[in-house]
Amino acid sequence: MATFRTVAGPDGSARHRILSAIRSHGPLTRAQLARATGLAPSTVTEVAQTLGSERVLIETEIVRSEERRTGPKSRALAFEPSLSTTVGVDFGFRTVRALVADVAGRPLASGRAALPVDYDAERGLSVAKGLIDEVVGRAGVPMPATAGVAIPGPVDTQHQRVVGSSILPGWSESDAGDFEAALGLPVIIENDANLAALGEHTFGAGTGVANTITIKFHSGIGAGIILHDRLVSGVRGGAGEIGHVEIDPQGPLCRCGKRGCLDTFASVPAILASMRPQHDVESVAELLALLAAGDAGAKRCISDAALTVGKVVATASLLLAPERIIIVGAMARAGSVVTLAIRDVLEREGIPQARSVPDVVLGELDDRHTAMGAVALGLSAQGWLPESIAPRVPDRGFVSAG
Ligand SMILES: [Zn+2]
């Protein structure tokens, strides 16, 4: 299995400060680096020399506008181009998305490709490989140093393996090694709702909030839990599988093999089914168009589904006391119909004296939340995220550069 280059070094070290400064500001001269980091010029020179010999930094000749305009050009330090990008890959039920970002997590290019219904791992990875090549080409960068990959089912993060067979039959027991062989670069995998939570925590509506639950209200319903700034994966990646909380033991059969799971009442397919036969809606776009036109049935079906999701969120909130609930996924596009319904349940079911009802907000990354979480995962595997927010990456031979 491939290894990642954990180039950034420990939080707060001279190495980390220098690399963080270049990551935030772009290429900097040694003098600018000393000013930006507060390090002694001799320390900057010494660490820059090490980073040069490790092929992490290269010298570029530039003159910045605020620098002298005569005499010799200043030599600035920049990232070696092949180190500086990561790609986030998000496998959904029907499509795969790839997003290439720089070391600061700024998106450079992204794209989506359609997948056949019930695609297996081999087919999915082959489509993803073509998409990554296309998006990397469009971004005009070398092949990224890492890929973070989101899977729409449970993932054993410690052993980097897709869990079980009932949710994703064609993916059972595939591991990161299979992904690396197919995609041709180092890969780290995680569950999609967990990555949606990590994306919002690192770049979106959860920035600066230590305790959040992100609800992916989509074709399936999942939750990503961040406690004390850390993603909670649980044993064999089982944390946050709220789509399979039982709502009614006599309810419809779920794809997991149980009856009456939350997914069978409130996922997108369940909401669309609840609109029939009065309305023959085939897609979320048609459902939202009806809602926007003031259709009472559409509002009722969406709000009933959100209330059912809210019941499960309320129980999770009594257990974990999050500060904020973040709603992402296709049904987040229904906006306040969803957030107000969930907020209502939380107020009704919270402890009245505790005054600890969390905010309920929409995600801020549109439908890129999961791909951006996968980018954050790829960046943290390279040591780019501050240790305070980086997820723990599995110990499988990560090495320092050099
Ligand atoms: Zn189920």
Side-chain angles (χ1 to χ4, degrees):
M1 214 174 268
T3 53
F4 294 100
R5 299 186 69 184
T6 53
V7 293
D11 243 6
S13 64
R15 180 183 176 102
H16 195 274
R17 283 153 75 180
I18 286 171
L19 292 173
S20 295
I22 296 172
R23 186 177 162 218
S24 304
H25 302 291
L28 293 173
T29 63
R30 287 170 177 75
Q32 288 170 327
L33 272 172
R35 284 201 294 277
T37 58
L39 294 166
S42 58
T43 308
V44 170
T45 301
E46 189 185 323
V47 174
Q49 190 167 4
T50 307
L51 289 165
S53 67
E54 291 174 5
R55 304 174 62 83
V56 171
L57 293 182
I58 55 166
E59 294 211 340
T60 56
E61 284 203 353
I62 59 156
V63 180
R64 301 173 77 84
S65 56
E66 72 272 25
E67 296 288 306
R68 61 198 161 181
R69 290 180 180 277
T70 56
K73 284 182 180 170
S74 317
R75 296 177 82 77
L77 293 161
F79 287 115
E80 209 284 317
S82 67
L83 278 178
S84 22
T85 61
T86 189
V87 59
V89 180
D90 172 17
F91 282 103
F93 286 102
R94 299 282 164 79
T95 59
V96 57
R97 174 186 292 272
L99 188 153
V100 178
D102 68 10
V103 280
R106 285 177 290 245
L108 301 174
S110 70
R112 277 201 306 174
L115 290 165
V117 179
D118 292 335
Y119 60 95
D120 60 13
E122 194 179 330
R123 178 82 184 126
L125 286 168
S126 144
V127 173
K129 168 70 177 151
L131 178 65
I132 291 171
D133 288 346
E134 188 262 313
V135 171
V136 167
R138 207 146 31 78
V141 294
M143 189 49 77
T146 51
V149 177
I151 306 291
V155 172
D156 176 347
T157 48
Q158 196 190 346
H159 300 101
Q160 285 288 288
R161 190 178 297 133
V162 179
V163 174
S165 55
S166 60
I167 311 278
L168 291 171
W171 290 76
S172 189
E173 302 306 313
S174 345
D175 66 19
D178 301 326
F179 286 68
E180 288 170 357
L183 301 182
L185 74 173
V187 169
I188 181 164
I189 62 175
E190 217 342 327
N191 166 262
D192 64 345
N194 286 353
L195 287 182
L198 186 64
E200 292 290 346
H201 181 64
T202 312
F203 302 112
T207 309
V209 184
N211 301 287
T212 61
I213 301 179
T214 297
I215 306 296
K216 191 161 188 174
F217 193 174
H218 205 67
S219 312
I221 301 167
I225 302 161
I226 304 271
L227 286 184
H228 307 300
D229 286 314
R230 290 279 180 184
L231 183 61
V232 176
S233 288
V235 175
R236 284 170 66 82
E241 287 288 335
I242 61 166
H244 304 285
V245 169
E246 181 186 284
I247 302 297
D248 176 2
Q250 309 301 324
L253 192 65
C254 179
R255 67 202 161 100
C256 75
K258 299 197 299 172
R259 293 186 79 113
C261 294
L262 177 62
D263 264 11
T264 68
F265 288 100
S267 64
V268 167
I271 297 171
L272 296 181
S274 72
M275 293 288 291
R276 297 181 194 117
Q278 282 74 17
H279 293 288
D280 190 22
V281 286
E282 298 278 330
S283 67
V284 174
E286 289 174 38
L287 177 67
L288 294 176
L290 279 174
L291 179 69
D295 183 85
K299 186 173 180 189
R300 176 64 192 261
C301 286
I302 295 169
S303 130
D304 282 353
L307 288 170
T308 310
V309 171
K311 293 280 285 183
V312 178
V313 174
T315 304
S317 296
L318 285 170
L319 282 171
L320 302 171
E323 298 158 78
R324 186 168 292 173
I325 306 294
I326 302 168
I327 311 297
V328 302
M331 292 317 300
R333 287 156 57 198
S336 62
V337 175
V338 166
T339 52
L340 291 178
I342 293 175
R343 173 90 198 178
D344 269 0
V345 185
L346 288 171
E347 281 182 353
R348 206 165 56 233
E349 305 214 348
I351 297 166
Q353 297 90 334
R355 294 174 178 276
S356 61
V357 176
D359 301 339
V360 182
V361 302
L362 299 172
E364 291 177 356
L365 302 175
D366 298 320
D367 53 0
R368 293 178 163 193
H369 37 75
T370 304
M372 288 304 291
V375 163
L377 191 65
L379 291 176
S380 78
Q382 295 180 65
W384 289 119
L385 293 190
E387 281 183 30
S388 56
I389 64 165
R392 289 184 183 88
V393 291
D395 179 15
R396 54 182 183 95
F398 294 92
V399 293
S400 291

